Amino acid sequence: MSRLPLIIDCDPGVDDAVALLLAFASPELEVLAVTTVAGNVPGHRTQRNARMIRQIAGREDVPVHGGAERPLKRPPAHAGEFHGPEGLGDLQPFEPAGIIGDGPAANAIVDLVMKRPAGEVSIAMMGPMTNLALAMKRERRLAERLGTVVVMGGARSEGGNVTASAEFNVWADPDAAAVVFGSGCEVVCLGLDATHQVRATEARIRAIETIRTEPARTAAAMLRFSQRVERTVVGWEAAPLHDPCTIAWLLRPDLFQLRPCRIEVETSSELTRGHTAVEFRVDPATARHRWAVGVDADGVFDLITGALTPAEDGR
Ligand code: BDR
Ligand code: CA
């Protein structure tokens, strides 16, 4: 089987953790590295959390590189109330085994992409886009060498989750997002319009809880934590599952409806900081961006449940 070479840039984060567990359990993906960024919690915690999840998945072969501790131009902002102070909900932190990758995230991204043929390495972006923006500034040819950049970020019809118009990952570092969207890369953008359709209902969480492996138990614990936060903080019954949508799209693009567009990011107004202006009046033949307008949520959860189910269970 030819596997898709992939870098995962993330800020675990409970939903980032589920995304990592899905990716690690998917033989279709060749996870070249995980790079971490300050986002949901400070950078030293996102890096440790990624290594904790890597260990739980038994994938110490994958290097984890720590990255930017702060956005390009703004002070760091975190989202501890949605992820817990340590970033992985109720999961008790431990010092993970396994090495920390050599060199910072931005360098690792440049090295991994530039040593492969153009278009071969894709990257899944699950946090503020600081690392990729820094990598693009470091290596001007990076954008033309990257494969698809699949982003969890942005909001259009659905409105924002931090402010009226902005989603957290883009709002936290709008300047980095502007660099990525303006780079000429092919970007598939899965914003809140799509991820708010992918809800971790009671039945979907229970299906994962029946799987008796450590990765599945961990994924289910992340979903239970989010469910509790969603009910107490937001007032919704079932929490949206954002970041795993990036991995789901790479594995099963047929589960998503995308529209060609041009996406620009508001960086100057404090009121609408991080707003993603999604322009659909573009020539589809030359458009570099695609925006998700629909998703098969059952399909995404079936994919996660299936990937976490050991083969010998025959499911
Ligand atoms: C995004 O923000 C973070 O809190 C989540 O991990 C996800 O990447 C959703 O807006
Ligand atoms: Ca995230």
Side-chain angles (χ1 to χ4, degrees), residues 72-86:
L72 293 185
K73 299 182 183 169
R74 294 165 191 270
H78 306 303
E81 82 257 45
F82 285 94
H83 301 269
E86 298 290 336

Side-chain angles (χ1 to χ4, degrees), residues 71-73 125 129-140 142-143 146 149 151 170 173-187 263-267 289:
L72 293 185
K73 299 182 183 169
M125 303 299 298
M129 291 181 244
T130 324
N131 288 334
L132 183 53
L134 287 171
M136 285 173 167
K137 285 172 185 282
R138 201 152 296 169
E139 173 51 82
R140 299 283 163 188
L142 187 69
L146 260 173
V149 179
V151 167
V170 180
D173 195 347
D175 305 288
V179 169
V180 172
F181 285 116
S183 68
C185 275
E186 187 201 340
V187 183
I263 300 171
E264 290 184 55
V265 179
E266 176 57 56
T267 53
H289 303 156

Side-chain angles (χ1 to χ4, degrees), residues 11 15-16 40 83 126 152 161 167-169 192 242-243:
D11 61 337
D15 59 327
D16 305 72
N40 289 321
H83 301 269
M126 305 180 185
M152 188 286 125
N161 61 0
E167 177 279 333
F168 177 77
N169 290 339
L192 300 182
H242 304 286
D243 294 336

Side-chain angles (χ1 to χ4, degrees), residues 266-290:
E266 176 57 56
T267 53
S268 47
S269 154
E270 263 318 300
L271 182 65
T272 55
R273 155 188 172 183
H275 170 68
T276 36
V278 182
E279 177 56 83
F280 289 128
R281 286 166 297 185
V282 293
D283 176 357
T286 54
R288 301 300 288 155
H289 303 156
R290 282 179 287 163

